[in-house]
Amino acid sequence: MMLTVQDVTKTFAGGEGDLPVLRGVSLSLDRNETLALTGESGSGKSTLLHLIGGLDTVGSGAIEIDGHDITKMTDSDRAALRRTDVGVIFQQFNLIPSLTVAANMAFQARLAGRYDADQAARMSDALGLTPHLDKYPEALSGGQQQRVAIGRTLVARPKLVLADEPTGNLDEATARQVLDQMLDLVTETGAALLMVTHSQSVARRMKRQVHLSQGRVA
Amino acid sequence: MTWTTLTALLSHWRRNGLQFFALISGLALATALWSGVQAINAEARASYDAAAATLGEGQFGQLLPRTGNRIDQATYIALRRSGWQVSPVLEGRIDTTQGRVRIVGLDPLTAPGNVAPVGMQEGTSLDDFLTRGVLFAATDVADQLENAVSQRIVTDPSAAPGVALTDIGVAQDLLDAQGTLSRLILAPEQPMGRPDLAGITPDLVLQPAQDAGADRLTDSFHLNLTAFGLLSFAVGIFIVHGTISLAFEQRRGMVRTLRALGVPLGRLIGLMIAELVLFALIAGAIGVALGYVIAAVLLPNVAATLQGLYGASVAGTLQLRAEWWLSGMAIAVVGTGLAAAGALWKIAHMPLLSSARPRAWAVASGATARRLGAVAGLLFLVGVGIEIRGKGLALGFVLLACMLIGAALLLPLVLRGAVTLADRQARSVVWQWFWADTRQQVPGMSLALMALLLATAANVGVTTMVSSFRVTFVDFLDQRLAPELFISAEDAAQSPDLEAFLIDNAREVLPLLSVETEIAGVPSDLFGARVGPTYRNNWVFVAETPEVWDRVARGEAAVVSEQLARRAGLWTGDAVAVAPGLSLPIAAVVADYGNPLGQALIDEAVFSDLYPDRVPTRFGVRTDDAAGLREKLVERVGLSDAAIIDQARIKAFSLEVFERTFTVTGALNVLTLAVAAFAILMSLLTLASLRVPQLAPAWALGMTRRRLGRLELLRAVVLAFVTTVLAIPLGLLLAWVLLSYVNVEAFGWKLPMYVFPGHYALLTVFALLAAALAALWPALRLARTPPSDLLKVFANDR
Ligand SMILES: Nc1ncnc2c1ncn2[C@@H]1O[C@H](COP(=O)(O)OP(=O)(O)OP(=O)(O)O)[C@@H](O)[C@H]1O
Ligand SMILES: [Mg+2]
């Protein structure tokens, strides 16, 4: 198994008492497998993704990536895992504003120490970003920025890709194209893909689907 | 990974050149302020030292010939060979068509401290001084010498009046005195185990260093200047703090992204520290150099001393003085560290998923302002506690720190209060919006305004302190240096003849009779005074009873110094035991700025009864023709030049040196204010990008960009005004603590404080002008913001 999530809970401390967001979520994902995570707004999809990415800590439960329980890891081990094995595509674009599109695309691959210029060029072609490589993020539209964020993750070829509504900002044609790219790469590298989405058409293209409701898998 | 991360971190500066400039220049200016003040301070000190030394005043011990006027140069060489650290001086007069000029020859290579001429200017290297022959003299003396000597004459306003200063060899030529010297100056530190003076030469007598009267006053002055040096550093730290926390705040988003992409926190912080140290070093180097330039520009005639400070320019090569540079750099790095510690701590504890949007940095909300206000209140309480109960110099500085930091922390609260008050008065919607918007700006501008607060307070404080010093100093000189000449007899045997001669030739003779003793448990000098018009007309008391001098003259009372009175817990009316078996009421307490010891003064006759063996060997003399009397003494009585001290000249010269210091502090004031204005400019410029989203709605609702720009300008002036109004009492408080607390702790006497309202009004105008000037450019930029930028705010609302 590439990813196993077991009985994970997460509670946020809020103004009017605690807010339990995840109440015992379990799921698993194999190599080369794709999974769509759906659920209504506020159901805790992003929260779960952040926990899997090691960006936040669980209330209880276990999350194993490639056989290692990340809930028992130190911060820096989790950082190392994100650098090399797990790629997170955020709901907000999270680009580095002072780097060009090209440098942003190459960034995570460079951090992981496996940057390949040819592959990066293919990726930017496929994402339609080649004419914009020398621009800075502020000069791009929202959809273009989202594509840069996707490219940044895919160029680094992680084993596990976590994507939070990566195509939410794109028009239908581009969305389909980007999705094709992601699925191709996942197939090509044998990576696993966990994608949060609201769109049924996107969800249907994943091998499996999981629906979150009331903090549990429905 | 390290390299990739570093590229990302540094790319921020490449893209945001203005911020980078603000950071580097903020750091550089803080360092420049510090090193410039140090340079100016050192320069002022050097001026005093040079003044004292060229006048033959005894801050150093001296070896004088037992008889006659001359020492054989061979004796000097023998002393040096045996390890004595002595430096030769030759003095004499030469005739010019416009009268006589006193020539003082020195050896700059062996002279202790800063005895060498102060004003060696560009184009005059030490080499010149030694080989070609150069004379340094004030303008009038230089004119006099023009046709009398063949050597080059350099005009040096810092040279003592009536004196031309030159190398010992040149002096020997000019005075036709090859192979002879007048006196030898003793360096303060002498090697251990050197042979006895008498063993080398029986012909010389040692005259120990004498307290030159004004020394202690100037020491105190320098202590206070040093305190203001620290204050200027504090201003710098606030600026650095502002720029650094801004820089961190603006990179919050990037830090978050980097961590999400797998850069470990430790590495990230390490890299940021490395980046900061690098910047601090670069900025520190610029700052030290800038400090030199500033000091040199502000004081064009002191370039030589500055060269001495930064690196001696010998024979054309500039040797950098390592300590000086290192201390400047250390200040930059330590200042950056202090300023960055908080920001780094915040980053280290920032949750990974927290908001990436830059908040107004450092002093965020009203709650924070109130919290800071509470801390300020606590600091003030500590300060008041120290003032009431505290003892000791260190606590004095703690008191200063409490007040300053307290006032700075209080500022956001005061500003908010002022703005709220104005808001309540506002009638129109525009003004209501203006005040509400101003309140929003307070946190962002707080640090820059704190810098302005401290700069203005320092300004008020320095001016009050220096002016108070000046007034006191002039009074003190009038009182203590009233006699035109001070004359030392060679020994007790010569004294009666000398006194008789002086009485025949002078208006009033004041024998200086004294013994070292202990009065009321305090080591003190007891003086026997010949009460006369000089005492009656010139002495000013801290506290007095009626008919002081009549009672003293009748032997019924004593006058004691402030130090003695304060330390012994006595005051006017109390009785003091001036000697075993003799207790006299205190008729008056006199301020004595020139003395570490206590002093008590009784009538000459009473003194002689107590100490019949004491014969006066020093005399103060009142005369209308000091130069004439001096010549008579040298020619007829056979006294050496060094035995006669021309007080009028010392006085004139001391005043001149003091005036120079005064201009120096003026320069310092301009400098701190300029730096504070720069801080305001930088914070406004860096805030500008955050401003656009705040102003866009007002623009969309129909306010023109011009109007918005004008309001921005007004806002800066209003905030600066409130700050200045707070700064004036703070500055006065500062001066008061320095003069009445720190000074008492350090030197045992209180300096009277004078207030100069005209100056403070002018200063307020300057501060407002500086703020307006600083706000002008950002306001113009804002007025020219393209509408597309304003529209973007609505397009990308996410
Ligand atoms: N840091 C936080 N502190 C407190 N509450 C939080 C925090 N982050 C998320 N929440 C709450 O947790 C719940 C789930 O949020 P989450 O972002 O996971 O929803 P989501 O399923 O991704 O929604 P969407 O589809 O709108 O993105 C929400 O009610 C949200 O308000
Ligand atoms: Mg979400």
Side-chain angles (χ1 to χ4, degrees):
Chain A
M1 279 289 139
M2 188 64 229
L3 169 72
T4 324
V5 176
Q6 236 167 23
D7 270 337
V8 163
T9 66
K10 178 72 185 176
T11 303
F12 288 113
E16 292 131 37
D18 290 351
L19 174 71
V21 177
L22 301 178
R23 305 162 188 252
V25 173
S26 299
L27 56 83
S28 63
L29 188 61
D30 214 341
R31 259 167 250 279
N32 225 338
E33 201 178 11
T34 57
L35 176 80
L37 187 62
T38 55
E40 61 199 53
S41 180
S43 57
K45 305 182 295 294
S46 297
T47 304
L48 180 60
L49 210 72
H50 291 155
L51 292 176
I52 298 171
L55 298 167
D56 205 348
T57 48
V58 298
S60 66
I63 298 172
E64 275 185 19
I65 294 177
D66 215 3
H68 305 287
D69 185 353
I70 66 163
T71 62
K72 299 204 166 64
M73 283 184 182
T74 63
D75 267 350
S76 63
D77 285 343
R78 278 201 288 267
L81 201 67
R82 280 200 299 280
R83 213 157 53 234
T84 53
D85 294 342
V86 182
V88 189
I89 302 166
F90 291 94
Q91 200 165 6
Q92 301 99 354
F93 325 121
N94 273 311
L95 299 179
I96 294 172
S98 51
L99 292 179
T100 59
V101 168
N104 262 295
M105 293 255 291
F107 195 80
Q108 190 158 19
R110 287 213 170 101
L111 274 185
R114 47 170 176 256
Y115 174 64
D116 174 351
D118 289 342
Q119 192 224 351
R122 264 186 286 127
M123 190 69 67
S124 66
D125 266 346
L127 292 169
L129 289 170
T130 310
H132 307 295
L133 284 179
D134 292 332
K135 292 185 185 164
Y136 286 90
E138 64 181 16
L140 299 187
S141 74
Q144 287 166 334
Q145 292 187 39
Q146 183 64 290
R147 278 182 272 158
V148 177
I150 293 166
R152 176 177 65 191
T153 303
L154 296 188
V155 170
R157 297 151 166 286
K159 289 186 200 160
L160 173 63
V161 179
L162 305 171
D164 198 346
E165 291 191 64
T167 56
N169 285 303
L170 305 180
D171 62 86
E172 225 168 296
T174 317
R176 203 172 319 120
Q177 212 180 331
V178 167
L179 197 61
D180 287 344
Q181 262 294 317
M182 289 181 73
L183 290 171
D184 280 355
L185 182 103
V186 168
T187 324
E188 184 187 321
T189 58
L193 171 66
L194 174 65
M195 185 182 292
V196 171
T197 181
H198 281 297
S199 148
Q200 276 309 310
S201 62
V202 171
R204 271 197 297 273
R205 299 202 46 190
M206 304 293 137
K207 200 177 275 175
R208 286 199 291 131
Q209 293 168 20
V210 166
H211 189 77
L212 267 191
S213 169
Q214 311 273 313
R216 290 201 177 81
V217 176
Chain B
M1 171 177 62
T2 303
W3 184 243
T4 311
T5 310
L6 196 62
T7 336
L9 284 174
L10 291 176
S11 74
H12 175 85
W13 303 117
R14 228 185 23 249
R15 281 287 285 169
N16 298 280
L18 190 64
Q19 275 174 32
F20 184 65
F21 177 71
L23 179 68
I24 294 289
S25 55
L27 261 170
L29 278 176
T31 316
L33 202 56
W34 167 256
S35 65
V37 168
Q38 292 310 101
I40 286 171
N41 228 338
E43 161 52 28
R45 222 178 264 272
S47 293
Y48 287 122
D49 288 352
T54 43
L55 287 160
E57 230 191 332
Q59 70 163 329
F60 299 109
Q62 305 199 31
L63 298 177
L64 301 176
R66 198 172 286 280
T67 53
N69 259 332
R70 290 288 179 253
I71 303 172
D72 195 342
Q73 193 160 323
T75 313
Y76 162 65
I77 294 167
L79 278 168
R80 291 255 356 153
R81 287 225 175 101
S82 65
W84 280 72
Q85 296 296 306
V86 288
S87 181
V89 179
L90 176 67
E91 283 170 296
R93 270 145 227 290
I94 59 169
D95 288 313
T96 72
T97 48
Q98 296 149 64
R100 311 182 84 184
V101 170
R102 188 164 151 234
I103 302 285
V104 177
L106 298 167
D107 176 21
L109 294 180
T110 55
N114 283 294
V115 174
V118 169
M120 267 205 231
Q121 279 157 334
E122 273 144 85
T124 323
S125 67
L126 192 58
D127 231 22
D128 263 1
F129 187 77
L130 295 177
T131 54
R132 282 190 46 202
V134 181
L135 284 93
F136 295 89
T139 322
D140 54 330
V141 179
D143 289 345
Q144 247 180 306
L145 285 170
E146 197 58 55
N147 299 312
V149 299
S150 59
Q151 281 80 1
R152 195 150 80 85
I153 298 155
V154 174
T155 311
D156 176 1
S158 70
V163 173
L165 208 59
T166 186
D167 178 59
I168 190 94
V170 177
Q172 286 177 335
D173 285 347
L174 284 173
L175 299 170
D176 205 11
Q178 273 77 12
T180 65
L181 306 168
S182 313
R183 54 191 165 101
L184 302 174
I185 302 176
L186 280 166
E189 259 130 64
Q190 294 290 337
M192 304 269 284
R194 61 189 197 285
D196 232 24
L197 181 63
I200 305 169
T201 167
D203 301 330
L204 295 183
V205 288
L206 192 147
Q207 180 186 304
Q210 292 158 10
D211 208 311
D215 273 10
R216 288 248 131 194
L217 187 60
T218 56
D219 270 356
S220 150
F221 185 69
H222 280 298
L223 179 75
N224 287 297
L225 274 188
T226 307
F228 279 109
L230 283 172
L231 186 59
S232 65
F233 179 62
V235 173
I237 286 286
F238 269 94
I239 294 167
V240 174
H241 189 91
T243 35
I244 287 191
S245 17
L246 181 65
F248 275 92
E249 202 58 52
Q250 279 159 334
R251 289 198 297 183
R252 273 170 75 94
M254 184 194 284
V255 165
R256 193 185 108 131
T257 304
L258 288 174
R259 288 185 61 196
L261 294 180
V263 178
L265 183 62
R267 183 76 58 97
L268 199 55
I269 289 192
L271 282 173
M272 287 181 119
I273 289 176
E275 181 195 53
L276 278 180
V277 169
L278 177 74
F279 289 169
L281 290 177
I282 295 172
I286 298 173
V288 175
L290 203 63
Y292 171 83
V293 172
I294 288 170
V297 167
L298 292 177
L299 307 158
N301 54 353
V302 299
T305 331
L306 290 174
Q307 265 172 19
L309 218 54
Y310 281 86
S313 169
V314 181
T317 59
L318 187 74
Q319 296 166 339
L320 298 182
R321 200 174 275 186
E323 334 70 273
W324 186 258
W325 285 88
L326 282 180
S327 75
M329 305 293 258
I331 283 294
V333 173
V334 170
T336 310
L338 278 178
L344 283 170
W345 193 89
K346 257 203 247 163
I347 291 240
H349 292 79
M350 178 174 90
L352 213 164
L353 292 171
S354 70
S355 161
R357 227 177 324 122
R359 299 166 308 170
W361 72 102
V363 192
S365 58
T368 318
R370 276 191 294 281
R371 212 159 337 133
L372 290 179
V375 175
L378 211 68
L379 286 172
F380 286 139
L381 276 183
V382 172
V384 170
I386 290 175
E387 165 54 27
I388 295 171
R389 314 229 74 184
K391 274 252 166 297
L393 193 56
L395 271 184
F397 283 102
V398 175
L399 170 60
L400 277 180
C402 282
M403 278 170 30
L404 287 174
I405 300 171
L409 295 183
L410 195 61
L411 186 63
L413 200 63
V414 171
L415 289 173
R416 282 179 72 91
V419 171
T420 308
L421 221 65
D423 196 5
R424 286 216 194 107
Q425 308 301 314
R427 289 279 164 268
S428 78
V429 175
V430 172
W431 285 109
Q432 277 165 5
W433 170 81
F434 173 79
W435 291 117
D437 192 50
T438 302
R439 187 164 39 232
Q440 255 195 332
Q441 294 316 299
V442 169
M445 288 190 61
S446 280
L447 283 165
L449 289 172
M450 285 175 188
L452 180 69
L453 175 79
L454 291 187
T456 314
N459 216 313
V460 170
V462 169
T463 311
T464 307
M465 191 260 302
V466 174
S467 302
S468 298
F469 258 102
R470 183 157 68 163
V471 173
T472 312
F473 193 68
V474 171
D475 281 355
F476 172 71
L477 286 178
D478 278 344
Q479 175 179 324
R480 288 308 167 89
L481 301 184
E484 283 74 18
L485 293 178
F486 273 103
I487 296 152
S488 307
E490 268 151 32
D491 48 38
Q494 196 196 27
S495 175
D497 287 347
L498 181 62
E499 187 174 355
F501 179 86
L502 289 173
I503 289 173
D504 288 346
N505 287 282
R507 187 149 42 85
E508 191 184 352
V509 176
L510 306 164
L512 299 182
L513 265 173
S514 71
V515 293
E516 280 179 28
T517 167
E518 214 180 80
I519 299 175
V522 179
S524 301
D525 284 325
L526 178 66
F527 287 90
R530 187 173 292 173
V531 176
T534 299
Y535 285 108
R536 291 177 191 275
N537 298 338
N538 291 294
W539 281 48
V540 182
F541 298 116
V542 177
E544 62 186 302
T545 55
E547 298 176 355
V548 172
W549 290 113
D550 291 335
R551 289 171 61 208
V552 171
R554 287 199 299 269
E556 291 167 3
V559 170
V560 301
S561 69
E562 188 185 351
Q563 281 95 312
L564 175 58
R566 285 194 194 280
R567 263 190 256 171
L570 298 169
W571 210 245
T572 47
D574 298 339
V576 60
V578 290
L582 179 63
S583 208
L584 289 174
I586 297 174
V589 177
V590 65
D592 176 22
Y593 307 114
N595 213 324
L597 299 176
Q599 267 190 21
L601 183 142
I602 53 176
D603 184 63
E604 188 182 9
V606 182
F607 185 93
S608 298
D609 283 348
L610 288 170
Y611 303 96
D613 301 340
R614 290 279 163 160
V615 182
T617 54
R618 286 181 45 136
F619 299 91
V621 174
R622 303 304 309 265
T623 171
D624 300 322
D625 178 19
L629 182 59
R630 187 184 188 113
E631 251 167 68
K632 277 190 222 162
L633 281 165
V634 173
E635 276 155 27
R636 288 204 230 147
V637 186
L639 285 182
S640 86
D641 245 345
I644 308 168
I645 296 175
D646 189 335
Q647 296 290 42
R649 271 203 324 226
I650 292 181
K651 194 160 116 183
F653 189 47
S654 302
L655 282 177
E656 200 191 301
V657 169
F658 208 79
E659 283 310 307
R660 273 157 55 91
T661 316
F662 199 65
T663 43
V664 166
T665 52
L668 192 133
N669 285 346
V670 172
L671 196 66
T672 41
L673 213 55
V675 170
F678 183 82
I680 294 179
L681 170 68
M682 281 302 141
S683 66
L684 287 176
L685 279 181
T686 37
L687 276 175
S689 61
L690 301 177
R691 288 292 286 148
V692 173
Q694 292 166 350
L695 292 176
W699 171 76
L701 294 179
M703 278 226 245
T704 62
R705 285 173 295 155
R706 273 188 67 144
R707 177 122 195 237
L708 287 174
R710 272 207 303 273
L711 287 176
E712 287 290 295
L713 195 63
L714 180 67
R715 180 186 342 270
V717 173
V718 166
L719 291 179
F721 179 74
V722 177
T723 306
T724 315
V725 165
L726 190 64
I728 290 172
L730 179 65
L732 290 175
L733 204 63
L734 206 67
W736 181 80
V737 169
L738 282 172
L739 296 178
S740 345
Y741 184 99
V742 171
N743 220 52
V744 173
E745 293 300 332
F747 303 104
W749 40 269
K750 195 181 218 161
L751 204 81
M753 179 166 148
Y754 300 85
V755 179
F756 306 85
H759 175 88
Y760 309 144
L762 199 65
L763 183 68
T764 310
V765 174
F766 279 153
L768 295 187
L769 228 62
L773 223 56
L776 196 60
W777 186 31
L780 277 176
R781 265 174 40 136
L782 194 79
R784 300 213 181 108
T785 310
S788 65
D789 281 7
L790 291 164
L791 281 171
K792 238 193 211 162
V793 172
F794 304 110
N796 287 2
D797 214 357
R798 53 167 190 261

